[in-house]
């Protein structure tokens, strides 16, 4: 029986419809406490993260043993310069990673995996990513967002038995969601999965498929049309990458991460057994978002690795390089950059380790913490890389190969800057992360007052919501007036003789959390239904929360290290300077909540789009080539060769 010929095209959706699709996909309930959620509500629940959770002894033993093997492999068999030069990870390196078990770090031992905790999985990614960021991306895309994680969380036992042993040792996976004209707006997803007996027939084109060029198994998001017996909606499938009708049409090339196998994949009449569907029809986006709750931690983990490497290079270089009779590190302008790199690396590691350990213990809901870690790690990691290039000066701009050719140490600072740039875009761009986190941050408000500002709700619902909101705010608002942050003796366990006083920073976090919650309430009262359009305001709210979370994590980690006798004094110093730097940023963000150029910026944008300022574009030549802004993604057979190349 052939597949129906009327393949659905990309749906036309309004902005409101797109928001409704995204809202339906997010987790609606909070079944466990969340430190970050409470923080945005003005409640500083230090008890949720302090004392710092610690891993089990057996998890540490197994994790450290694997890190030792991985380090030896990376030092002896990985040539990062070769990967950069040839824009490809050698097959023998990939096969070596398979033999090492690196494909199965997060897969349970009963399926042939290593069964590492989130903490040690992240440490492994940071280590591998420091040897070659492309290897870090390969392993992360395979395990954090590829087939293993959604199967672990939502797959049937039959699916786990069939696929996880392969994924643990031999098969590479990829995650296929993005399309040429669909990024963070999945409501317009065009790839179709048409039911046909006990199969689905896939047609469509997927873009930016990290690992897609070499993958053996794919997790594909496709739209099932609604029909009799089929609920329809965006649905997740496990697909064999060598299935008839799948063509990898192109291997993409980028400014950084040159070794990643990222491509364009076309599906034409691809038959997938219904048994390969993950979860029910229509649950694809929820599966993707839930998978990312912890999957997002892999990216900031690799940012931690970049911070550690940048600190090493900054220390060695700025001590050796002299200007005006002194090492450059002794000049205040350079010293401030080194201090920023050291303090921020400490804080990033604190954020990632704390979030990862909470994920392992499964006591808290960490969806906001993981999102904040991704947002903060990608932004701060980029700044750290940029500062390292500046510290290195002209040598920071020069390639490692050129440095080596003229007899100097081959430091790939400019490569790291290029490699790091994508982190602010993929797995949720900074702008999308701002909106995603802001939605979770105002969830409590929308639950009690959302119907008041919803234009589609009848008056009876608005009246009921008004009564509920009045009760909620009558209890909540008075608690934002004062708190432990105004009591000098609060958080006294962080006031240790001979160490910087971290209790003052925690009191600042507590006061700022209440101020943040008041600011959010004032904004909702002022803008009501228009609040969702105030993206810059929401972004600043989230950035303040990210800084407060990082300050809290840094202090808790410092005390954890001190109590364990592990560099406690130095950790307190780093936490102190980080918190002082963060407080400066927080105060600026609070000011910019209400004193900014958002309104006039919108008027300028209107002028740019209407052509008012085209005269400003005169006097240059556009070196861009010809062609459409967005490639044609019309379903149909492939026109070129298949560049898919599974690694064996």
């Amino acid at each position: 029986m052939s597949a129906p010929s009327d393949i659905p095209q990309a749906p036309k959706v309004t902005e409101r419809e797109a928001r409704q699709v995204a809202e339906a996909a997010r987790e609606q309930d909070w079944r466990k406490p969340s430190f970050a959620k409470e923080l945005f509500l003005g409640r500083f629940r230090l008890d949720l993260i302090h004392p710092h959770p610690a891993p089990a002894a057996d998890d540490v033993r197994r994790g450290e043993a694997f890190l030792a093997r991985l380090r030896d492999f990376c030092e002896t068999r990985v040539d990062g310069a070769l990967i950069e030069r040839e824009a490809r990870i050698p097959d023998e390196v990939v096969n070596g990673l398979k033999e090492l078990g690196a494909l199965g770090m997060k897969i349970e031992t009963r399926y042939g995996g290593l069964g590492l905790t989130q903490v040690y999985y992240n440490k492994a990614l940071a280590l591998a990513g420091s040897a070659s960021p492309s290897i870090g991306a390969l392993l992360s895309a395979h395990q954090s967002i590829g087939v293993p994680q959604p199967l672990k969380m939502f797959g049937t036992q039959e699916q786990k038995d069939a696929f996880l042993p392969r994924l643990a040792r031999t098969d590479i996976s990829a995650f296929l969601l993005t399309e040429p004209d669909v990024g963070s707006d999945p409501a317009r997803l065009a790839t179709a999965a048409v039911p046909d007996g006990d199969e689905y027939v896939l047609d469509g084109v997927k873009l930016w498929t990290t690992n897609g060029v070499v993958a053996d198994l794919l997790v594909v998001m496709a739209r099932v049309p609604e029909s009799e017996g089929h609920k329809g909606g965006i649905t997740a499938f496990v697909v064999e990458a060598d299935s008839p009708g799948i063509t990898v049409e192109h291997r993409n090339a980028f400014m950084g991460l040159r070794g990643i196998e990222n491509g364009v994949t076309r599906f034409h009449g691809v038959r997938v057994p219904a048994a390969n569907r993950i979860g029910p029809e229509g649950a694809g986006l929820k599966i993707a978002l839930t998978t990312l709750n912890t999957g997002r931690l892999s990216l900031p983990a690799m940012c931690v690795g970049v911070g550690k490497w940048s600190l090493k290079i900054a220390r060695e270089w700025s001590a050796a390089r002299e200007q005006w009779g002194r090492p450059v590190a002794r000049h205040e302008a350079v010293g401030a950059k080194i201090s920023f790199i050291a303090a921020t690396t400490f804080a990033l590691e604190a954020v990632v380790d704390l979030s990862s350990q909470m994920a392992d213990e499964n006591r808290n809901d960490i969806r906001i913490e993981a999102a904040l870690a991704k947002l903060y790690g990608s932004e701060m990691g980029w700044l750290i890389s940029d500062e390292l290039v500046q510290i290195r000066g002209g040598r920071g701009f020069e390639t490692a190969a050129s440095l080596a050719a003229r007899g100097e140490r081959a430091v790939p600072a400019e490569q790291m800057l290029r490699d790091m740039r994508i982190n602010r875009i993929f797995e949720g761009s900074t702008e999308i992360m701002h909106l995603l986190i802001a939605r979770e941050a105002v969830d409590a408000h929308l639950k009690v007052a959302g119907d008041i500002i919803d234009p589609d709700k009848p008056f009876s619902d608005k009246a009921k919501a008004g009564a509920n909101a009045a009760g909620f705010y009558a209890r909540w608002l008075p608690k934002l007036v004062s708190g432990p942050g105004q009591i000098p003796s609060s958080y006294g366990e962080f006031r240790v003789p001979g160490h910087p006083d971290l209790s003052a920073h925690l009191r600042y976090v507590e006061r700022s959390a209440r101020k943040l919650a008041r600011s959010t309430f004032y904004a909702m009262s002022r803008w009501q239904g228009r609040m969702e359009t105030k993206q810059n305001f929401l972004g600043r709210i989230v950035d303040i929360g990210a800084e407060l979370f990082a300050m809290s994590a840094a202090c808790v980690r410092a005390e954890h290290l001190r109590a364990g006798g592990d560099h406690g004094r130095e950790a307190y110093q780093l936490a102190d300077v980080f918190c002082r730097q963060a407080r400066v940023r927080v105060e600026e963000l609070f000011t910019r909540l209400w004193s900014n150029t958002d309104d006039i910026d919108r008027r300028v944008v209107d002028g740019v789009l209407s052509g008012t300022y085209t005269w400003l574009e005169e006097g240059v030549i556009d070196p861009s080539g010809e062609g459409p802004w967005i490639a044609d993604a019309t379903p149909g057979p492939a026109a070129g060769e298949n560049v898919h190349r599974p690694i064996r």
Side-chain angles (χ1 to χ4, degrees), residues 314-366:
R315 172 178 57 82
E316 295 175 348
W317 163 249
S318 57
R321 171 65 164 160
E322 290 191 358
Q323 286 279 53
W324 301 302
R326 289 191 295 172
V328 293
R330 299 300 181 186
H331 292 283
E332 191 175 85
V334 175
K337 298 180 187 302
I338 296 173
S339 175
F340 168 77
I341 292 173
T344 305
T345 298
F346 177 82
L348 287 184
E349 186 169 39
V351 165
V352 173
D353 276 7
L354 178 62
S355 300
S356 300
Q357 188 58 48
M358 289 195 294
D360 286 331
E361 293 189 347
N362 201 26
R363 287 189 296 114
N364 294 355
D365 187 324
I366 67 157

Side-chain angles (χ1 to χ4, degrees), residues 125 447 463 476 587:
L125 289 179
K447 282 184 176 179
W476 178 67
E587 290 303 310

Side-chain angles (χ1 to χ4, degrees), residues 246-289:
I246 296 181
T247 305
V248 179
E249 296 187 321
H250 178 69
R251 180 178 186 257
N252 300 319
F254 303 100
M255 67 181 285
L257 293 181
R258 291 179 175 174
I260 63 173
E261 300 287 351
N262 180 294
V264 178
T265 302
R266 178 177 293 272
F267 297 84
H268 178 60
V270 178
R271 292 190 167 273
V272 179
N276 284 22
R277 189 187 70 219
I278 308 176
E281 290 182 354
L285 283 184
K286 184 180 289 289
I287 289 171
L289 291 176

Side-chain angles (χ1 to χ4, degrees), residues 144-155:
S144 296
I145 60 175
V147 178
Q149 191 66 11
L151 276 192
K152 176 182 177 180
M153 300 180 72
F154 300 98

Side-chain angles (χ1 to χ4, degrees), residues 295-629:
R296 283 197 175 97
L297 290 173
S298 62
L299 190 150
M302 288 184 281
C303 292
V304 170
V306 169
K308 289 174 177 287
W309 177 80
S310 298
L311 181 60
K312 177 181 184 293
I313 297 300
R315 172 178 57 82
E316 295 175 348
W317 163 249
S318 57
R321 171 65 164 160
E322 290 191 358
Q323 286 279 53
W324 301 302
R326 289 191 295 172
V328 293
R330 299 300 181 186
H331 292 283
E332 191 175 85
V334 175
K337 298 180 187 302
I338 296 173
S339 175
F340 168 77
I341 292 173
T344 305
T345 298
F346 177 82
L348 287 184
E349 186 169 39
V351 165
V352 173
D353 276 7
L354 178 62
S355 300
S356 300
Q357 188 58 48
M358 289 195 294
D360 286 331
E361 293 189 347
N362 201 26
R363 287 189 296 114
N364 294 355
D365 187 324
I366 67 157
R367 74 183 84 162
I368 301 183
E369 285 85 345
L372 287 173
K374 190 277 175 188
L375 169 69
Y376 199 71
S378 59
E379 289 294 324
M380 288 302 183
W382 165 255
L383 290 176
I384 287 172
S385 300
D386 188 54
E387 292 288 43
L388 178 64
V389 167
Q390 192 69 20
I391 290 171
R392 288 275 290 161
R395 290 173 174 84
F397 192 65
E398 190 173 0
T399 67
S402 177
L403 288 166
R406 59 182 186 79
E408 291 194 1
R409 185 173 300 185
V411 178
E414 61 83 29
Q415 177 196 335
M416 193 60 67
L417 188 66
R418 290 186 286 102
D419 289 341
M420 286 292 287
R421 186 59 183 84
I422 188 57
N423 293 337
R424 299 174 62 210
I425 298 173
F426 69 6
E427 288 191 30
S429 69
T430 290
E431 292 73 24
I432 292 299
M433 295 307 297
H434 277 153
L435 298 181
L436 184 153
I437 299 168
R439 172 61 187 85
E440 300 295 352
V442 301
D443 183 59
H445 300 282
L446 293 179
K447 282 184 176 179
V448 299
D451 286 354
I452 299 175
I453 60 178
D454 189 336
D456 294 337
K457 294 294 183 180
F459 177 78
S460 58
D461 287 350
K462 292 180 182 292
K464 182 179 179 181
N468 291 336
F472 172 79
Y473 290 119
R475 296 186 301 272
W476 178 67
L477 287 173
K479 297 178 181 178
L480 302 182
V481 176
S482 62
Q486 293 163 301
I487 302 174
S489 61
S490 296
Y491 314 114
E493 64 268 39
F494 291 86
R495 189 186 300 109
V496 180
H499 294 61
D501 182 7
L502 299 186
S503 69
H505 298 311
L506 293 176
R507 289 194 296 275
Y508 177 84
V509 172
E510 196 277 338
R511 295 194 304 273
S512 297
R514 286 186 282 111
K515 182 177 180 180
L516 182 64
R518 293 195 301 269
S519 299
T520 304
F521 174 74
Y522 296 154
M524 291 192 67
S525 301
R526 176 178 176 180
W527 291 313
Q528 298 186 27
R530 292 184 294 130
M531 180 78 162
E532 64 184 18
T533 69
K534 302 297 181 178
Q535 295 181 359
N536 288 334
F537 177 90
L538 292 172
R540 295 177 193 117
I541 287 287
V542 170
D543 285 341
I544 293 171
E547 294 283 5
L548 299 181
F549 176 43
M551 290 175 67
S552 305
C555 292
V556 168
R557 179 176 180 81
E559 173 56 19
H560 176 65
L561 293 176
R562 187 202 66 80
D566 190 8
H567 305 293
R569 187 182 302 276
E570 297 84 2
Y572 258 65
Q573 291 171 343
L574 289 171
D576 178 53
V577 72
F578 171 76
C579 287
R580 292 177 185 274
Q581 294 171 358
R583 287 169 73 157
V584 173
R585 295 190 292 266
V586 168
E587 290 303 310
E588 179 185 356
L589 286 165
F590 269 126
T591 298
R592 290 176 57 210
L593 285 179
W594 310 108
S595 178
N596 52 62
T597 61
D598 292 351
D599 290 338
I600 195 169
D601 289 343
R602 282 189 287 272
R603 291 198 290 272
V604 171
V605 170
D606 290 340
V608 169
L609 295 180
S610 65
T612 301
Y613 308 120
T614 52
W615 52 269
L616 189 58
E617 302 166 9
E618 296 174 1
V620 298
I621 294 172
D622 182 358
S624 306
E626 298 295 325
W629 287 104

Side-chain angles (χ1 to χ4, degrees), residues 101 104-116 164-165 168-169:
M105 287 187 283
K106 288 191 70 179
I107 297 176
E108 295 175 75
T109 55
R110 60 174 167 158
Y111 299 112
L114 299 180
L116 298 185
L164 289 182
R169 290 290 176 181

